Amino acid sequence: MPIAAAAASPLLAWRDPLYILAGFAGIVALGVMLFQPVLIGGYLPGLPGRIGRRVHLFTGATLVAAVVIHVGGLWITSPPDMIDALTFTSPTPFSPFGVIAMWAIFAVAVLAAFRRRLGLRPRTWLFAHRLLAIVIVVGSVVHGILIEGTMEMVSKLALCALVLAATVKVMADLWMWRRRARLRDRTDVGASSA
């Protein structure tokens, strides 16, 4: 829906194709972000557990590609604006949020690709991934909401709300599952020692 609404925007009439592609890549990235927590939480029918995690890896790579196209296209069409954004000197309030989210996305991708070589324990990896995921979601949502561009406001706010809600739901569920597992482990240890 946000892509269809953006495609109907009158602001596209004065933009060149590369700029439009870069903008739509940003919309796609935000849409992909909705699926990331839903996949890892196993909430999509037919994609539970291991399959959902594999698809999560694929959509993560898609997210990285969409961000590279978004930033690369904007860099080619307006290098001074991108330099200002990347150096946190841009006068636009949305820029720093997008740049921080971008670096967090790249950090997760690098950690995912090299986590075995880096010797990251599963617990350390999960903590880093969750922390960076929060930065990615909050930064991306604020970035998207603050941009006054081709995205129509109602569909943009709805997508941002869904991304936030899905992330909060999965984070809360994962926390509860971990807490229950710890309590179960304590109960089992207590019962076996009695």
Side-chain angles (χ1 to χ4, degrees), residues 30 34 141 145 155-168:
L30 191 58
L34 175 60
V141 165
I145 288 172
S155 63
K156 175 170 66 172
L157 289 175
L159 178 57
C160 288
L162 287 171
V163 169
L164 280 174
T167 303
V168 168

Side-chain angles (χ1 to χ4, degrees), residues 8 24 28 55 100 114 146 187:
F24 277 76
V28 167
V55 176
I100 290 168
F114 297 105
L146 291 177
T187 305

Side-chain angles (χ1 to χ4, degrees), residues 3-93:
I3 290 179
S9 172
L11 298 175
L12 295 178
W14 296 280
R15 300 294 188 183
D16 65 42
L18 186 56
Y19 187 89
I20 293 169
L21 174 67
F24 277 76
I27 298 169
V28 167
L30 191 58
V32 168
M33 244 180 262
L34 175 60
F35 288 99
Q36 288 299 81
V38 172
L39 285 165
I40 215 64
Y43 302 134
L44 287 179
L47 293 174
R50 178 177 283 159
I51 297 169
R53 284 191 292 277
R54 284 209 175 146
V55 176
H56 178 83
L57 288 172
F58 173 76
T59 55
T62 303
L63 176 60
V64 171
V67 169
V68 167
I69 293 168
H70 180 63
V71 173
L74 294 175
W75 179 274
I76 292 168
T77 58
S78 185
D81 289 338
M82 287 307 296
I83 290 169
D84 286 349
L86 293 170
T87 58
F88 296 100
T89 57
S90 176
T92 57

Side-chain angles (χ1 to χ4, degrees), residues 124-168:
T124 305
W125 157 247
L126 288 174
F127 177 78
H129 188 353
R130 287 178 188 155
L131 183 65
L132 288 167
I134 291 168
V135 171
I136 291 165
V137 168
V138 171
S140 299
V141 165
V142 173
H143 176 71
I145 288 172
L146 291 177
I147 291 175
E148 294 179 20
T150 57
M151 279 186 84
E152 179 269 328
M153 188 57 79
V154 173
S155 63
K156 175 170 66 172
L157 289 175
L159 178 57
C160 288
L162 287 171
V163 169
L164 280 174
T167 303
V168 168

